[in-house]
């Protein structure tokens, strides 16, 4: 039996989800765009949009990072389950394959302080540079800094409370 996820209502989380077998499926721009579109759709679902804030995010070759805060009463697990499962179904359909896309359950770490928030924010921001995907994070389309530098708040929030 797996352990229950530690959740705190109104908290920020550093969420990490890894692709099965370490495959770099996000090296394909079409797949990165698909993931971004699904995150946007999660916020605008017709029947019941999920209410959450994203302070920062990054799509890497074989995993994703979010600095995310579900609204009061909203379930981090349900938000992530929807995003990851809808992505997996659409990815499998596009690639004409079956089976698991994600390695296992997403990892979530509660952010307990402003200092920790800033560390996680910086870590996510610098991830594409450390991985050699870009020399300037503002040019890397698949991270929060790119969107913030263009005042595009379709994924990240313009302002947020810590």
């Amino acid at each position: 039996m797996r352990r229950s996820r530690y959740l705190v209502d109104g908290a920020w989380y550093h969420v990490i989800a890894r692709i099965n077998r370490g495959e770099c499926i996000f090296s394909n721009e079409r797949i990165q765009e698909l993931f971004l579109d699904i995150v946007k759709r999660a916020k605008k679902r017709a029947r019941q949009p999920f209410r959450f804030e994203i302070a920062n995010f990054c799509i890497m070759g074989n995993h994703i990072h979010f600095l995310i805060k579900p609204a009061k009463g909203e379930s981090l697990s349900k938000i992530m389950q929807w995003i990851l499962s809808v992505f997996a179904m659409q990815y499998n359909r596009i690639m004409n394959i079956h089976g698991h896309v994600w390695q296992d359950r997403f990892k979530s770490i509660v952010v307990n302080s402003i200092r920790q928030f800033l560390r996680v924010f910086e870590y996510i921001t610098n991830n594409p540079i450390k991985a050699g995907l870009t020399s300037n994070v503002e040019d890397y389309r698949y991270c929060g800094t790119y969107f913030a530098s263009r005042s595009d708040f379709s994924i990240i929030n313009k302002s947020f409370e810590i």
Side-chain angles (χ1 to χ4, degrees), residues 100-139:
H100 295 283
V101 171
W102 301 101
Q103 180 175 310
D104 52 18
R105 293 172 75 196
F106 67 90
K107 182 178 178 181
S108 63
I109 303 155
V110 176
V111 176
N112 290 312
S113 67
I114 292 173
R115 178 177 284 178
Q116 186 181 9
F117 180 93
L118 294 173
R119 263 197 320 265
V120 170
F121 192 97
E122 182 179 26
Y123 175 80
I124 293 171
T125 298
N126 291 325
N127 222 271
I129 294 171
K130 288 180 186 175
L133 298 174
T134 187
S135 58
N136 182 358
V137 74
E138 289 180 6
D139 295 333

Side-chain angles (χ1 to χ4, degrees), residues 42-53:
K43 289 185 159 194
K44 296 178 181 178
R45 290 183 344 153
R47 284 194 353 220
Q48 184 179 2
F50 288 111
R51 298 171 299 120
F52 60 93
E53 296 177 59

Side-chain angles (χ1 to χ4, degrees), residues 4-15 51-53 68-79 106 108-113 116 161-162:
S4 296
R5 190 175 299 281
Y6 177 64
L7 299 172
V8 177
D9 199 34
W12 284 97
Y13 297 88
H14 179 195
V15 170
R51 298 171 299 120
F52 60 93
E53 296 177 59
I68 185 171
K69 178 183 177 182
K72 294 269 187 199
E74 193 76 70
S75 168
L76 175 67
S77 295
K78 287 182 182 177
I79 294 166
F106 67 90
S108 63
I109 303 155
V110 176
V111 176
N112 290 312
S113 67
Q116 186 181 9
E161 290 183 28
I162 302 174

Side-chain angles (χ1 to χ4, degrees), residues 54-103:
I54 295 178
N56 204 358
F57 77 94
C58 187
I59 302 173
M60 302 298 289
N62 64 0
H63 66 283
I64 57 103
H65 292 274
F66 282 136
L67 184 51
I68 185 171
K69 178 183 177 182
K72 294 269 187 199
E74 193 76 70
S75 168
L76 175 67
S77 295
K78 287 182 182 177
I79 294 166
M80 291 308 300
Q81 177 188 22
W82 191 89
I83 291 170
L84 300 179
S85 65
V86 169
F87 172 79
M89 289 185 290
Q90 291 193 11
Y91 174 79
N92 282 346
R93 190 175 306 123
I94 289 168
M95 302 306 285
N96 197 27
I97 59 175
H98 301 283
H100 295 283
V101 171
W102 301 101
Q103 180 175 310

